């Protein structure tokens, strides 16, 4: 299980229960809305990061406290990898947890600068993030809840983006776009099985 609290720092997070909404919008592909607020705010300064400090609930480190990773699967169990990938690439999707990405030299270098402290006073779904730059400047962020949680539901556009990113990896961008369009029209379909058949066809 990848830790999505740090992903929320850059507008990542989990999809939660929002996937049932219908808005009649079309997919803009997995590359739409790339990046995130935090990544955009940091800009080129992301390459000047000296240290990243996380303060979160002990359960987070118990489940995702793997310090070193060699495979994408191991990356999913590392809050350190999630934080580094989120800051450097603006990515908290499955594309962040591949063998190739986990071993990128620039990502490994930033990951080694990430530290995490367990604080029982933190809520299980919250995290405090502090980024220190080489010039000594410091940026802090408190994430109360991940985007996509019940408290911070995804917008329709964010649902589309997440769907396209994850489905496109499996069935391709074009098929994901068609499937999304059909899913948004689910309530008007005479046969809801059309969605399942299209998903299986890819």
């Amino acid at each position: 299980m990848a830790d999505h609290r740090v992903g929320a720092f850059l507008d990542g997070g989990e999809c939660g229960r929002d996937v049932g909404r219908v808005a009649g919008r079309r997919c803009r592909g997995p590359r739409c809305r790339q990046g995130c607020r935090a990544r955009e705010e940091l800009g080129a300064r992301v390459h000047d990061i000296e240290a990243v400090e996380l303060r979160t609930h002990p359960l987070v480190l118990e489940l995702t406290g793997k310090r070193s990773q060699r495979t994408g699967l191991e990356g999913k169990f590392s809050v350190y990898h999630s934080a580094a990938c989120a800051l450097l690439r603006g990515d908290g999707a499955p594309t962040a947890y591949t063998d190739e990405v986990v071993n990128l030299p620039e990502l490994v270098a930033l990951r080694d600068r990430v530290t995490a402290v367990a604080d029982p006073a933190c809520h299980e779904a919250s995290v405090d993030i502090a980024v220190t730059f080489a010039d000594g400047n410091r940026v802090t962020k408190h994430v109360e809840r991940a985007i996509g949680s019940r408290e911070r539901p995804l917008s329709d556009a964010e649902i589309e983006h997440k769907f396209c990113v994850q489905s496109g990896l499996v069935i391709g961008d074009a098929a994901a776009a068609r499937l999304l369009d059909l899913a948004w029209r689910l309530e008007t379909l005479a046969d809801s099985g059309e969605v399942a058949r299209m998903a299986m066809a890819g």
Side-chain angles (χ1 to χ4, degrees):
M1 116 181 173
D3 189 277
H4 297 284
R5 297 164 190 81
V6 289
F9 180 44
L10 26 128
D11 264 356
E14 299 170 311
C15 187
R17 298 174 176 81
D18 294 320
V19 293
R21 289 187 308 204
V22 175
R25 293 177 177 164
R26 291 186 176 274
C27 174
R28 290 179 292 278
R31 292 169 188 80
C32 66
R33 294 176 50 81
Q34 283 299 310
C36 57
R37 293 188 191 121
R39 180 63 182 85
E40 291 170 357
E41 289 173 6
L42 293 178
R45 297 188 70 199
V46 70
H47 301 292
D48 298 324
I49 292 177
E50 189 71 23
V52 179
E53 303 164 49
L54 310 174
R55 183 174 297 275
T56 189
H57 191 275
L59 182 62
V60 174
L61 296 185
E62 181 182 335
L63 297 177
T64 61
K66 190 168 183 59
R67 182 71 259 192
S68 60
Q69 310 86 43
R70 293 183 180 276
T71 68
L73 179 60
E74 291 176 332
K76 292 183 178 182
F77 291 88
S78 174
V79 69
Y80 308 101
H81 174 74
S82 294
C85 201
L87 289 167
L88 188 63
R89 296 164 59 90
D91 189 3
T95 48
Y97 301 99
T98 65
D99 293 353
E100 179 184 3
V101 170
V102 162
N103 290 286
L104 288 174
E106 63 271 25
L107 191 53
V108 173
L110 181 56
R111 191 166 65 217
D112 288 343
R113 300 187 189 123
V114 179
T115 59
V117 176
D119 184 352
C122 288
H123 189 279
E124 292 180 7
S126 301
V127 64
D128 288 306
I129 304 173
V131 179
T132 303
F133 298 95
D135 60 7
N137 285 328
R138 184 179 174 91
V139 175
T140 61
K141 177 82 172 183
H142 173 70
V143 178
E144 186 63 32
R145 297 291 184 273
I147 292 177
S149 63
R150 181 174 299 178
E151 295 84 355
R152 298 182 66 192
L154 293 173
S155 68
D156 291 336
E158 288 166 336
I159 292 173
E160 289 186 351
H161 172 64
K162 181 164 186 173
F163 178 86
C164 290
V165 168
Q166 300 200 12
S167 299
L169 295 172
V170 179
I171 62 177
D173 295 358
R178 292 193 298 271
L179 183 58
L180 178 64
D181 180 69
L182 188 65
W184 278 133
R185 296 187 285 109
L186 180 62
E187 292 181 346
T188 67
L189 297 178
D191 178 8
S192 60
E194 288 185 45
V195 176
R197 287 191 291 274
M198 180 177 286
M200 293 177 64

